[in-house]
Amino acid sequence: MGAQRPIGFKRLLRGAALVGAVLLAGCQTVVPGPGPSRRPPAERPSQSQQPAVEPGIPTDTQRHRVALLVPLSGANAGVGQSLANATQMALLDSRNERVRITSYDTAAGAAQAAQRALADGNQLILGPLLADDVRAVTPIARRAGVPVVSFSNDATAAGNGAYLMGYVPAQSIIRVVKYAHDQGVASFGGLVPNGVYGERASTAFLRAVESAGGRVGALQTYDRAPGSMTAAITRMAKSAPYQAILIADGGSAAAAGVPVLRRNGMGGARILGTELWNSESSIASKPALEGAWFASVSDGLYRQYAAKYRARFGAAPFRLSSLGYDSVLLTIRIMRDWPMGSAFPEDRLKDRGGFSGIDGAFRFGRDNVAERALEVQEIHSGTTVTVSPAPSGF
């Protein structure tokens, strides 16, 4: 990875405005007028030929068809609509005239949405959002030879033609643990919630500390129920002291646990967080997390993007919506090697040089999961400060 170079928001934008197609159908009947008493043989009224009307999306030979599969109704409609808005914003900003994106609602069934998208001739699928939906869509798309670039962060859903752009917890844990060790931290403690996320965070934490050359004094699990984290901290205190403690949970949960750590004699340990913290806009305003470190994608370009999004749509975007924007930039980048009317060149997704977007540099690894260039931020005086910048590329 090379030295970081600032990237302006405008440098990400390259190409086209969205255009539409309208079909006009007409019909004219000629009626003969009155004639003399001796009438000529009757003629049938002439009819103009009606243009054929196709079901679904009209034929478009000038643009690549790309499907966006996101929830546009139901409980996750908010984030789904934000992703849809972001993809349209990317098309408008880039002024690209060679891509058409059509949205399909996955709330009523991701498999059905995928089948409609393929029937409409789409050669690339962006989305879905949820891991279970990715698993439902992938075999359908694979049979059609269409790759899936999903917004999920569940690495187990990757493969067989599915690529994941989501922020994977293991990467943020590895990054912040290495940074902490480089700052002299050698002894670590961990608090992780029970469940799939906690299991993956635990595995990543143990491997990261071992790889960095540190030591894990205790790793305690808890349920997301009243009193459970307190009991885990009490158990952890028996193996104290620690120089740093990872709380692999959201910022609010971490902030609630810090006072308990202090009461149990662990107030001097540096608190470490995960990528979940970056999705909470109020994270910096939690006094209990003063001085805490966490690793995530950079927010520099995202802040500019969010301001433009609010101006265009009248509301703040969901943090995950940047994945939708960057997926369009990725598509446009590959498009130069994508002849019109042909299959999407899936091999280009494995470009080892990677791609750039609002969330910085990323590339898909052998497991089809996006490897991201992450920065380390510190919560300081009501704001977040970058203490270790993200590399600018690979």
Side-chain angles (χ1 to χ4, degrees):
M1 296 196 178
Q4 184 190 28
R5 298 176 60 188
I7 303 176
F9 183 74
K10 292 183 180 178
R11 289 178 59 190
L12 293 174
L13 311 178
R14 295 192 186 271
L18 196 62
V19 297
V22 179
L23 292 177
L24 299 178
C27 176
Q28 180 178 344
T29 302
V30 178
V31 181
S37 56
R38 198 171 176 181
R39 297 179 181 179
E43 297 181 1
R44 293 188 177 184
S46 62
Q47 293 182 340
S48 59
Q49 185 176 1
Q50 299 185 33
V53 179
E54 300 180 13
I57 298 177
T59 299
D60 189 345
T61 60
Q62 302 301 314
R63 286 178 290 181
H64 294 294
R65 289 185 177 177
V66 176
L68 175 69
L69 270 60
V70 289
L72 297 174
S73 59
N76 294 310
V79 64
Q81 186 60 58
S82 195
L83 283 161
N85 290 344
T87 61
Q88 295 306 313
M89 185 170 159
L91 282 180
L92 292 171
D93 287 346
S94 64
R95 299 178 182 177
N96 190 285
E97 297 179 350
R98 296 179 59 200
V99 176
R100 161 189 257 155
I101 296 179
T102 306
S103 297
Y104 298 84
D105 188 2
T106 58
Q112 295 91 322
Q115 289 165 349
R116 291 196 302 273
L118 295 173
D120 286 338
N122 291 284
Q123 293 297 320
L124 174 66
I125 290 176
L126 305 180
L129 172 64
L130 305 177
D132 285 345
D133 287 348
V134 178
R135 295 186 184 97
V137 166
T138 299
I140 299 171
R142 194 61 175 174
R143 287 194 294 271
V146 173
V148 174
V149 179
S150 168
F151 308 129
S152 170
N153 68 345
D154 186 342
T156 64
N160 196 32
Y163 299 78
L164 268 59
M165 289 188 68
Y167 317 127
V168 180
Q171 293 181 22
S172 69
I173 292 172
I174 291 169
R175 177 75 164 96
V176 75
V177 165
K178 184 179 186 305
Y179 175 77
H181 188 265
D182 290 346
Q183 306 311 303
V185 175
S187 61
F188 295 81
L191 287 167
V192 297
N194 286 314
V196 174
Y197 183 90
E199 291 172 2
R200 292 171 184 164
S202 297
T203 300
F205 178 57
L206 292 171
R207 290 177 177 173
V209 174
E210 180 182 6
S211 177
R215 178 182 64 85
V216 176
L219 178 60
Q220 296 292 334
T221 62
Y222 59 90
D223 295 321
R224 288 191 171 102
S228 186
M229 181 185 283
T230 298
I233 292 173
T234 302
R235 295 192 300 270
M236 175 180 282
K238 298 175 182 179
S239 303
Y242 313 98
Q243 291 174 284
I245 296 174
L246 172 75
I247 304 180
D249 210 330
S252 297
V258 171
V260 185
L261 288 170
R262 290 173 181 161
R263 290 198 299 270
N264 283 269
M266 292 173 281
R270 177 82 64 169
I271 302 300
L272 308 179
T274 73
E275 87 295 340
L276 293 176
W277 292 17
N278 199 41
S279 63
E280 297 184 34
S281 58
S282 62
I283 188 72
S285 64
K286 301 181 186 299
L289 297 181
E290 178 73 15
W293 293 331
F294 67 100
S296 72
V297 294
S298 174
D299 274 342
L301 293 175
Y302 177 80
R303 294 188 184 101
Q304 299 177 48
Y305 155 80
K308 291 189 66 176
Y309 184 104
R310 282 192 296 269
R312 180 165 289 164
F313 299 108
F318 279 76
R319 182 61 183 85
L320 287 177
S321 68
S322 59
L323 297 177
Y325 195 103
D326 285 356
S327 70
V328 174
L329 297 187
L330 176 153
T331 303
I332 293 173
R333 163 82 179 274
I334 294 178
M335 194 176 62
R336 65 190 68 169
D337 298 321
W338 185 9
M340 197 67 64
S342 66
F344 181 84
E346 183 178 343
D347 60 311
R348 285 297 317 280
L349 290 171
K350 291 296 188 73
D351 186 344
R352 298 309 295 159
F355 307 92
S356 292
I358 290 173
D359 288 332
F362 68 96
R363 65 183 176 186
F364 294 107
R366 293 180 180 178
D367 57 359
N368 287 12
V369 175
E371 174 190 350
R372 294 189 172 275
L374 303 179
E375 68 179 19
V376 178
Q377 300 180 42
E378 178 180 325
I379 297 176
H380 180 71
S381 300
T383 188
T384 56
V385 179
T386 301
V387 292
S388 180
S392 60
F394 298 96

